[in-house]
Amino acid sequence: MNFKLEDRFSKIAIVFAFTVLAIGGMFGLLQLLTRTPYSPIQLSPDQYYLSLTAHGVLLAIVWTAFFIMGLAVFVISRELNINLNKYLLQGSLILSIVGVIMTTAAILSGTSNVLYTFYPPMNASALFYLGLTILILGTWIFAATIFLAFIRWKKATKSAIPIATFGVLTTLIIWLEATPGVAIEVIKDLIPMSLFNTPVDVLEARTYFWYFGHPLVYFWLLPAITLWYFFIPRLLNTKLYSERLPKVAFILFILFSTPVGIHHQFVDPGIANQYKFLQSVLTYLVTIPSFLTAFTLLATMEKSYRERGGKSLFGWIKELPWRDSVFAGIAFSMILFAFGGIGGIINASYTLNALVHNTTWIVGHFHLTVATAVTLTFMVSSYVLIPAIFNKAIIFKKLTVLQPYLWFIGMTIFSTAFHIAGLYGMPRRTADILYGGLAPSIWIELAQIAAIGGVILWVSGVIFIFNSGTSILKGAHVAMDAGSLFEKVNEKETILDRISVWVILAIIIIILAYVFPFLQIYSRGLSPAPPLPP
Amino acid sequence: MPLIPKPVEEWYKEFSKQEKIWIAIALAVAIILAATTLSWPLIDPKHEVPSSAREFNPTAYKEIANNFSSIYNGKLVPPNTDIYIAAQQYFWSISTLVLKKGVDYRFHLGSLDVIHGFTIVGNGTVYSIMVMPGMEYVFTMNFKNAGTYYVICSEYCGYGHGSMRMVIEVVA
Ligand code: HEM
Ligand SMILES: [Cu+2]
Ligand SMILES: [Cu+2]
């Protein structure tokens, strides 16, 4: 079978993602230095918020989404050995890129400094919202392309779904569960607001936003977990400890990742405590699949050691291939994700939330999750995907080993400092943390420590972009049969493979969790507020 | 095509012992976590998350808040007096609030324009709450320690966001 078309899609999507990562990382560095008292680089407030908007939108949404699309096409076409519809594929890519260019142009023009959460009634230029809408439309067409191909495969084979495909499908299902929330917010409220100055009810819009905002984190995370399931057994020359627990975990993500958005609104007025309470409980259920994932992966690592005759209780940790860049990057991602998860339990706590809400604790937290567990996994996976998709060898092999170590060290310093500073109340999203001299000295010291970590992190990012960029452009040609990365399993399907059952159940849970908060919001009567520029 | 494939034996395979143990552990941890944080407000209602909100009219509220500020700015607010604060790009309606230690005060918070964040920092305390247009947030606070606290705006509200602050002096 010929995958020229699919590979061309992946190449464009991945190169676009790397470009966006490079630009977004640059803004990250500028922000970090501005937040460091006495550093020579200080953006003015309007520049700072332009930078923060660009950093958030480009990294949290565009970098992740485009890498995921490139990865999804690769996995589905090779693992299932099928072709995708050419026109849908091209159409989705063009729409997504046009959308991103519109939104980015709006941000860079300085008329849309509303951050990546764009809470109304703060108003951005219509181009910003229209670009987002077109991007979402592009991703929906993309998801349809994948599902159409999958259904064709399923009808023909009737076999169990292989694990990487399962992960990709789960990712797209969560995206489709989540994005209607933000689409409603943008189309119903924000585009009219920016075009016609229509007032917007803030609580209603925020509830739609967070209906999308929380599952968004699983949209980022699941492809990373999929890559962990994919690479760990292959790197250790063994099989996954269990083929079933990963599927159970994915299904739990489908069920519980969406009906929990209100945990971002614990300190919002106008949502009754019972509903906050219910979604807090559901949030704790989402810890279960994370535990299952950790178990399967750690058990796989230990299993490969025992298979090689290892006896000592913890000897397997030392024997792991720590000098392999892909393994090291994934292991660091898992370690930092574990800390991110522990912090997340505090954020999601119905009562502790008020302590950390909107402090740098939160920034420290998501730089462990999306900026490490996800980003670092995507980075090191590229060291395999570049040969597999671009047929180019990586030029600087030694740098691929250095890069994840630097990221790990830099992120540990940066994130620890931001977590601690958050406990001392240091706010996020401010250009100047001195607060006209009010800032306690501990904020200043921690900001300086964070800056050291952030610079190391940035250097690691530069190495990554340099190495993968030159390899894609100038690397030696390698003929690699990417299909051979995937083994052909032909097992009978089980109830776990009946995805439609789980999606229906998920929709029921989502309705139960959200119908009452929305009833409360609408029955109270809306109180729209007029838009204002930042 | 039936949703659930038949016969049953084909789709259900027994979980291994380790898998079962691990599922049980994960479930137990989730339940313990949920139970500890969620029972907290039940045991002591002080830890309850505030969520009571009233409708409000920005113009009328602005007047109440300004009125409050003109009487009490920099002066001790006597117990049993409701506190009214309005947030606006980029200031709070009162600049220095003086409160008595150990007294329950009822706070009213509202925004006259965009979303703001009311974050109290100082003396080991950090506490944050959202201030949203269109709603008046009502909650009770009791300061256990005397000293100076700062209120900073913790939700991005525009370019002057970083300069939006006020002081709470708590006296013995
Ligand atoms: C070069 C490495 C990076 C550095 C130095 C960096 C630095 C920062 C800093 C200092 C902030 C906080 C600004 C503030 O709250 O005032 C921030 C926010 C943020 N970062 Fe990063 N970051 C980096 C990489 C990443 C990556 C790879 C991602 C995601 C994939 C990411 C996602 C975010 C998001 C979503 C925010 C929140 C934006 C907002 O509050 O609106 N960052 N970053
Ligand atoms: Cu969340
Ligand atoms: Cu503010």
Side-chain angles (χ1 to χ4, degrees):
Chain A
M1 205 174 274
N2 169 339
F3 297 111
K4 259 213 169 78
L5 187 84
E6 287 78 6
D7 281 358
R8 203 176 62 198
F9 177 97
S10 297
K11 284 180 196 169
I12 298 173
I14 289 176
V15 168
F16 193 74
F18 287 170
T19 314
V20 163
L21 178 66
I23 301 171
M26 196 63 231
F27 284 118
L29 184 71
L30 290 175
Q31 269 152 233
L32 185 74
L33 295 177
T34 302
R35 285 186 68 104
T36 309
Y38 318 121
S39 95
I41 292 178
Q42 295 288 337
L43 301 179
S44 65
D46 55 329
Q47 291 168 335
Y48 186 83
Y49 292 113
L50 186 155
S51 162
L52 195 55
T53 309
H55 183 75
V57 171
L58 291 181
L59 291 180
I61 298 172
V62 182
W63 145 247
T64 49
F66 275 78
F67 190 91
I68 291 170
M69 290 200 281
L71 177 72
V73 166
F74 176 71
V75 166
I76 295 284
S77 60
R78 299 308 160 86
E79 195 170 45
L80 304 184
N81 205 23
I82 47 171
N83 285 120
L84 303 174
N85 182 305
K86 178 179 169 194
Y87 301 107
L88 287 178
L89 212 51
Q90 285 174 346
S92 71
L93 189 62
I94 291 170
L95 278 183
S96 307
I97 291 180
V98 167
V100 169
I101 289 174
M102 285 168 69
T103 299
T104 311
I107 296 173
L108 295 181
S109 74
T111 55
S112 305
N113 301 340
V114 291
L115 309 188
Y116 86 119
T117 41
F118 48 84
Y119 295 137
M122 197 180 281
N123 200 355
S125 89
L127 195 63
F128 179 85
Y129 304 114
L130 288 170
L132 287 179
T133 314
I134 292 176
L135 169 62
I136 291 174
L137 197 64
T139 60
W140 285 352
I141 295 175
F142 175 79
T145 320
I146 299 280
F147 277 104
L148 286 176
F150 167 72
I151 291 168
R152 211 161 13 94
W153 172 86
K154 181 97 186 186
K155 284 225 170 88
T157 62
K158 298 217 161 30
S159 76
I161 305 171
I163 204 72
T165 300
F166 208 106
V168 166
L169 296 178
T170 309
T171 307
L172 294 177
I173 289 170
I174 289 179
W175 182 251
L176 293 178
E177 282 178 14
T179 39
V182 71
I184 293 175
E185 185 202 7
V186 170
I187 294 170
K188 172 176 160 307
D189 289 344
L190 305 186
I191 292 180
M193 170 179 84
S194 70
L195 287 178
F196 312 115
N197 274 326
T198 319
V200 173
D201 183 88
V202 177
L203 182 63
E204 182 203 12
R206 262 172 78 80
T207 309
Y208 280 119
F209 181 83
W210 284 115
Y211 171 91
F212 156 77
H214 188 78
L216 176 66
V217 313
Y218 293 101
F219 168 74
W220 300 329
L221 186 63
L222 286 171
I225 293 182
T226 305
L227 288 165
W228 300 350
Y229 284 138
F230 181 78
F231 279 116
I232 294 285
R234 282 166 181 76
L235 290 167
L236 299 177
N237 229 329
T238 183
K239 283 199 173 313
L240 274 181
Y241 176 82
S242 160
E243 287 277 335
R244 235 167 343 155
L245 280 188
K247 288 190 183 176
V248 173
F250 283 136
I251 289 169
L252 289 173
F253 281 123
I254 293 181
L255 295 180
F256 296 118
S257 62
T258 306
V260 295
I262 285 181
H263 72 210
H264 292 261
Q265 298 175 277
F266 282 156
V267 290
D268 277 13
I271 297 176
N273 280 350
Q274 301 85 291
Y275 312 144
K276 293 180 179 171
F277 186 95
L278 171 70
Q279 296 215 358
S280 192
V281 174
L282 289 172
T283 302
Y284 285 106
L285 290 180
V286 196
T287 59
I288 296 176
S290 301
F291 279 115
L292 297 184
T293 305
F295 169 75
T296 311
L297 290 167
L298 293 177
T300 305
M301 293 179 196
E302 184 175 348
K303 176 169 157 269
S304 95
Y305 170 73
R306 306 269 173 244
E307 282 165 358
R308 281 176 280 127
K311 293 276 180 309
S312 101
L313 187 58
F314 289 112
W316 57 275
I317 297 175
K318 217 170 64 211
E319 297 258 309
L320 294 169
W322 290 104
R323 296 224 182 117
D324 182 288
S325 55
V326 182
F327 180 83
I330 288 181
F332 293 150
S333 296
M334 290 172 62
I335 294 169
L336 292 186
F337 182 66
F339 286 101
I342 295 168
I345 288 171
I346 293 179
N347 307 344
S349 154
Y350 179 59
T351 40
L352 292 178
N353 180 275
L355 182 67
V356 295
H357 189 78
N358 274 339
T359 65
T360 52
W361 168 283
I362 304 296
V363 182
H365 166 74
F366 59 64
H367 280 83
L368 291 182
T369 54
V370 65
T372 300
V374 176
T375 299
L376 183 57
T377 299
F378 289 178
M379 285 170 154
V380 294
S381 303
S382 305
Y383 299 141
V384 175
L385 295 179
I386 290 175
I389 301 177
F390 293 80
N391 288 327
K392 292 293 177 72
I394 300 289
I395 298 181
F396 303 100
K397 292 260 162 36
K398 290 232 168 76
L399 285 183
T400 65
V401 185
L402 178 68
Q403 188 262 322
Y405 278 85
L406 280 183
W407 192 275
F408 178 67
I409 295 168
M411 188 54 88
T412 305
I413 299 172
F414 171 80
S415 162
T416 308
F418 264 34
H419 271 94
I420 298 174
L423 294 180
Y424 284 102
M426 179 150 103
R428 65 187 279 207
R429 294 181 161 176
T430 46
D432 171 18
I433 63 147
L434 285 176
Y435 278 93
L438 293 188
S441 62
I442 183 99
W443 287 7
I444 299 169
E445 285 149 22
L446 287 166
Q448 286 163 341
I449 295 172
I452 297 171
V455 170
I456 299 175
L457 196 62
W458 185 75
V459 169
S460 167
V462 170
I463 293 175
F464 171 76
I465 294 290
F466 166 74
N467 198 3
S468 45
T470 48
S471 302
I472 289 172
L473 292 174
K474 296 238 152 68
H477 182 84
V478 281
M480 177 168 171
D481 174 18
S484 65
L485 283 172
F486 299 89
E487 48 198 293
K488 302 281 164 279
V489 277
N490 212 342
E491 277 186 48
K492 270 226 159 65
E493 67 171 356
T494 69
I495 183 71
L496 299 179
D497 300 301
R498 281 300 170 104
I499 289 191
S500 47
V501 176
W502 306 113
V503 172
I504 292 170
L505 203 58
I507 293 173
I508 295 174
I509 299 176
I510 292 171
I511 292 176
L512 287 178
Y514 266 102
V515 73
F516 296 106
F518 273 115
L519 272 179
Q520 187 187 9
I521 289 171
Y522 287 118
S523 62
R524 176 180 55 87
L526 300 181
S527 40
L532 270 178
Chain B
M1 191 159 79
L3 275 179
I4 296 174
K6 286 171 187 159
V8 174
E9 300 75 37
E10 267 184 31
W11 56 258
Y12 182 73
K13 281 184 246 154
E14 190 67 33
F15 279 90
S16 78
K17 197 169 144 217
Q18 278 100 329
E19 285 173 323
K20 279 187 194 156
I21 293 176
W22 193 256
I23 292 177
I25 293 177
L27 201 63
V29 173
I31 291 173
I32 292 170
L33 284 173
T36 44
T37 65
L38 299 180
S39 58
W40 207 358
L42 300 181
I43 296 167
D44 182 351
K46 264 209 310 295
H47 296 293
E48 185 56 276
V49 178
S51 58
S52 98
R54 296 187 191 162
E55 283 317 300
F56 99 148
N57 168 334
T59 354
Y61 188 82
K62 185 175 182 175
E63 207 168 304
I64 300 176
N66 283 345
N67 198 15
F68 176 83
S69 157
S70 65
I71 304 176
Y72 292 113
N73 193 14
K75 295 200 198 83
L76 180 70
V77 181
N80 293 323
T81 311
D82 278 25
I83 295 167
Y84 291 89
I85 302 175
Q88 202 172 354
Q89 282 174 335
Y90 302 103
F91 52 87
W92 304 98
S93 56
I94 186 163
S95 58
T96 308
L97 191 60
V98 186
L99 302 179
K100 208 164 161 54
K101 177 182 134 177
V103 171
D104 276 349
Y105 282 101
R106 205 143 70 125
F107 279 73
H108 301 247
L109 274 178
S111 162
L112 305 180
D113 43 39
V114 297
I115 303 183
H116 299 272
F118 184 82
T119 292
I120 303 176
V121 208
N123 304 300
T125 302
V126 182
Y127 195 81
S128 298
I129 235 163
M130 303 295 295
V131 190
M132 311 222 290
M135 248 176 289
E136 178 181 337
Y137 212 155
V138 190
F139 58 96
T140 307
M141 278 203 93
N142 184 327
F143 288 84
K144 294 271 168 346
N145 299 310
T148 305
Y149 296 77
Y150 296 105
V151 174
I152 49 191
C153 178
S154 59
E155 189 62 74
Y156 173 59
C157 55
Y159 301 148
H161 164 61
S163 59
M164 187 166 162
R165 48 183 176 249
M166 63 180 265
V167 175
I168 301 182
E169 290 289 353
V170 177
V171 296

